[in-house]
Amino acid sequence: MTRQIALIITFVSGFAMVASAFFKPVEHWGEDVAEWFNVLAAIAFVLGAANLAKVHLEKISSRSPGWGYSGLTIFFFTFTFAVGLMKLGVHPMDKFPAVAMSGEKDAEGSAFWWMYAFVMSPLTSTMFALLAFFVASAAFRAFRAKNVEAALLLGTAFIVLLGRTFAGVVLTGWLPESLSFLRLENLASLILEVFNSAGNRAIIIGIALGVAAQSLKIMLGLDRSYLGASN
Amino acid sequence: MSRRALWSLVLAVALVLLAIRAFTGPGMGRSYVSDQQMGFVQSADGVWEAAPDGVTPTISWTAELSVPPRVFYAANAKDPKQTTVHLSLSRTLGLWAAAFFTLAILSFLYADNPCYKVAEAAVVGVSAAYWGIVGVWDVLVPKLGGALLPLYTKAHFLPSLTDVTGNWWMLVPLALGLMLLCRLVPKVASVSLLPLAFVIGTTAGLKFISFTEGDLLAQSAATMKPLYVERLGVDGALDLAMTVGASLKQTLLFVGVICALAYFYFSVEHKGVVGRAARVGIWYLMITFGAGFGFTVMGRIALLAARFEFMLDDWLWLIDPSGKRVVALTAGAGEVLGQFAQIHSVSVW
């Protein structure tokens, strides 16, 4: 029964959103639902937090390998959440100094700001930076110009990388004006303007068609995978 | 000497060198702040405003603003006993914590190790809490609290709230949210399917429209343009070279999109004309992936450079590209502080 109701909700809510794009009187439905959606997403964070706590507390209680790190995860989570919720170290807004909790949650000098500026930001940016090494290493091992396709991929990456740096400008800066289109920075621009745009457009059109088809399947109840394995 | 002992020795030497550098000479890895006294009084009509000079404020506090070390040097040069600009212990500790976490993540390049695992645990815990808090203060309090308990929310959290009439429709997402939490209780877990169905349904409806309108139609319209592109010179006459170039670009773009779409079209066997078009489409796609790869590498390297700049400039004080620690000999401390106040639009009462 719950599953039948769920299918009806999907159908009605989905087509209501489609209708809001076509009928002026219900135009505001889309915006209203977007707000509801944000609220639901924020509440879903509670679910996520509970799940995080469950997984790591289980590891701690069973003393499974690496349980100490789970303890650290719980500590960092609890500490950051607590100082953020209490707005520890946040001064009130200048306009409303009498309202203690009126300041921005991440105001400079607050404990939550500290956790973001000195823990989260360096950690996430270094993690992404670390990928530079792995991408370069993987490329060095995997990139071989064995056929036309591989040569195109390799050559384009090379031109774009060099063409967007000062090295590229220096390397081909000596070319005369009549051959300036062969300078690396101009070749990189041509690749981005024409070939890259064409490829990206085809990919975007393909994705759009796929999303539209999948959305219709979900709204019409043809795809029920989100309801669970039994469906 | 075992590998472990060798690394311990290297680490110990590095720590000793760091300690020597940190506590001798100009030092390193220090963060300074400038105190700003904030004071407010309530006017007759109930509005709070900054306390004028000579008036004792009803509410006051001291705000700390980060300043580069040169501001501290300049202030100390003028008055060694001044306390307005001073070392911030919490921010200095933060700087060192950031340096530790940066090195801990980079240490993974050698091998998985306890320092990396500590950093990994920190990033998981802090990120989850960060987004949770963003959800609470940016969504739940203003949207839900502001709609269901507007007066309470205005009085305690959001004094700038203007609409206090409330909006009972927000009970719907609250109810759906509570139903979502039923997933935590196995007996009633199936109830969580209903909010899930709502989320899936509305997402499908919104994405159906936005992808069709914003991507499919917009990209198709941008492609279906005349292949002949006329370009005029500065004298208003036809510039043949520019016209040929622009027309060629448009033709290559059009052909590329059609050929790449032909590659994605699997309802017809890739033979004959379709096969040849699909092959050209693959070439275009390979160029696209190559450019994407190039940009990804560049983006990551830019991030890495930023991390190195942080380590060498902010922490180790080995480089100073923005002159954070350089004090102009001709500028007095007052001038430097004045400039700082002007840049940051702050005033001191």
Side-chain angles (χ1 to χ4, degrees):
Chain A
M1 183 63 182
T2 314
R3 289 170 195 277
Q4 298 304 319
I5 298 171
L7 282 175
I8 294 167
I9 290 175
T10 307
F11 179 84
V12 173
S13 57
F15 279 102
M17 290 305 100
V18 176
S20 73
F22 291 100
F23 301 105
K24 206 158 178 65
V26 293
E27 218 174 31
H28 60 95
W29 282 4
E31 289 164 23
D32 293 347
V33 167
E35 275 203 358
W36 293 7
F37 199 88
N38 287 338
V39 170
L40 257 178
I43 295 174
F45 272 119
V46 179
L47 195 65
N51 199 40
L52 183 90
K54 186 178 162 234
V55 169
H56 287 283
L57 287 174
E58 269 174 13
K59 273 186 97 174
I60 294 168
S61 67
S62 63
R63 294 283 195 277
S64 54
W67 65 270
Y69 300 114
S70 290
L72 271 176
T73 305
I74 294 284
F75 165 75
F76 278 111
F77 175 80
T78 314
F79 181 77
T80 312
F81 201 85
V83 298
L85 206 60
M86 292 187 290
K87 288 193 176 178
L88 208 69
V90 174
H91 298 297
M93 283 169 80
D94 289 2
K95 272 181 160 180
F96 310 100
V99 183
M101 299 277 271
S102 62
E104 286 293 324
K105 64 182 181 307
D106 47 5
E108 186 185 331
S110 67
F112 189 64
W113 166 82
W114 194 98
M115 291 304 285
Y116 177 79
F118 298 123
V119 182
M120 189 173 152
S121 178
L123 277 171
T124 47
S125 56
T126 314
M127 273 201 173
F128 280 114
L130 200 64
L131 288 182
F133 291 100
F134 294 114
V135 168
S137 150
F140 180 73
R141 279 180 277 176
F143 276 12
R144 297 284 181 271
K146 288 176 187 165
N147 50 37
V148 180
E149 287 82 9
L152 279 172
L153 193 135
L154 189 62
T156 310
F158 188 71
I159 291 169
V160 168
L161 271 172
L162 275 178
R164 293 272 142 178
T165 57
F166 185 66
V169 179
V170 172
L171 277 173
T172 51
W174 53 270
L175 281 168
E177 198 58 40
S178 56
L179 292 173
S180 63
F181 68 93
L182 286 176
R183 286 180 189 162
L184 278 171
E185 67 269 26
N186 293 336
L187 277 179
S189 296
L190 181 75
I191 285 170
L192 295 177
E193 274 176 37
V194 180
F195 300 98
N196 184 52
S197 292
N200 271 333
R201 259 182 207 173
I203 291 170
I204 290 170
I205 290 171
I207 290 173
L209 282 169
V211 169
Q214 185 63 26
S215 300
L216 269 179
K217 278 172 75 179
I218 288 172
M219 286 188 288
L220 292 171
L222 298 172
D223 185 337
R224 303 173 183 191
S225 52
Y226 65 93
L227 291 175
S230 58
N231 287 273
Chain B
M1 188 183 278
S2 71
R3 200 184 176 94
R4 196 186 175 93
L6 183 73
W7 277 107
S8 301
L9 185 69
V10 169
L11 205 66
V13 170
L15 284 174
V16 168
L17 288 174
L18 272 179
I20 291 170
R21 182 160 171 74
F23 296 108
T24 57
M28 60 173 263
R30 294 175 195 173
S31 187
Y32 295 94
V33 289
S34 171
D35 285 347
Q36 189 191 356
Q37 299 299 323
M38 308 290 291
F40 300 90
V41 286
Q42 202 168 19
S43 63
D45 52 356
V47 178
W48 286 96
E49 49 197 35
D53 288 340
V55 175
T56 311
T58 316
I59 297 174
S60 66
W61 63 82
T62 305
E64 290 184 340
L65 291 167
S66 282
V67 292
R70 70 181 149 82
V71 175
F72 171 74
Y73 298 153
N76 253 14
K78 194 176 183 202
D79 176 12
K81 287 180 183 168
Q82 66 84 29
T83 52
T84 309
V85 185
H86 57 91
L87 182 82
S88 167
L89 202 63
S90 68
R91 291 181 204 205
T92 301
L93 196 70
L95 205 67
W96 283 73
F100 165 74
F101 284 128
T102 302
L103 288 173
I105 294 286
L106 288 176
S107 70
F108 188 73
L109 287 171
Y110 173 69
D112 200 1
N113 61 76
C115 284
Y116 177 76
K117 284 189 172 135
V118 167
E120 205 178 37
V123 80
V124 172
V126 175
S127 303
Y130 178 83
W131 292 113
I133 289 299
V134 167
V136 169
W137 288 115
D138 289 359
V139 181
L140 290 183
V141 170
K143 305 280 182 199
L144 206 59
L148 300 177
L149 297 165
L151 292 174
Y152 183 83
T153 305
K154 186 179 169 70
H156 293 95
F157 307 116
L158 215 61
S160 55
L161 190 72
T162 47
D163 183 10
V164 288
T165 51
N167 177 9
W168 295 108
W169 278 106
M170 291 307 278
L171 280 171
V172 178
L174 177 66
L176 288 170
L178 293 176
M179 285 158 84
L180 199 65
L181 295 181
C182 288
R183 187 165 277 258
L184 295 170
V185 187
K187 272 188 181 175
V188 287
S190 63
V191 175
S192 68
L193 279 181
L194 303 180
L196 191 69
F198 175 78
V199 170
I200 298 279
T202 49
T203 308
L206 290 171
K207 296 294 173 198
F208 176 76
I209 295 296
S210 64
F211 272 78
T212 307
E213 197 179 12
D215 287 349
L216 180 61
L217 297 179
Q219 294 294 335
S220 304
T223 308
M224 301 298 170
K225 285 189 170 167
L227 299 182
Y228 173 70
V229 185
E230 199 172 81
R231 288 276 184 266
L232 302 178
V234 282
D235 55 351
L238 183 77
D239 188 326
L240 194 64
M242 292 274 281
T243 301
V244 170
S247 301
L248 195 64
K249 273 186 185 177
Q250 182 60 29
T251 309
L252 283 170
L253 190 74
F254 177 77
V255 170
V257 175
I258 299 296
C259 290
L261 282 175
Y263 171 70
F264 287 129
Y265 191 61
F266 299 109
S267 299
V268 174
E269 200 177 348
H270 289 182
K271 274 183 177 176
V273 178
V274 179
R276 280 194 286 276
R279 185 151 173 75
V280 174
I282 294 175
W283 295 344
Y284 269 87
L285 289 172
M286 284 299 154
I287 292 174
T288 307
F289 296 145
F293 172 80
F295 276 124
T296 307
V297 171
M298 280 178 76
R300 302 294 185 232
I301 287 177
L303 274 176
L304 191 65
R307 293 320 299 158
F308 278 131
E309 192 180 334
F310 162 76
M311 298 293 282
L312 297 174
D313 183 11
D314 295 329
W315 184 48
L316 291 171
W317 291 13
L318 290 175
I319 58 169
D320 191 10
S322 51
K324 287 176 193 166
R325 294 174 291 280
V326 178
V327 182
L329 292 173
T330 51
E335 280 176 60
V336 177
L337 276 174
Q339 284 166 9
F340 172 76
Q342 204 175 2
I343 292 164
H344 293 271
S345 306
V346 296
S347 55
V348 179
W349 61 273

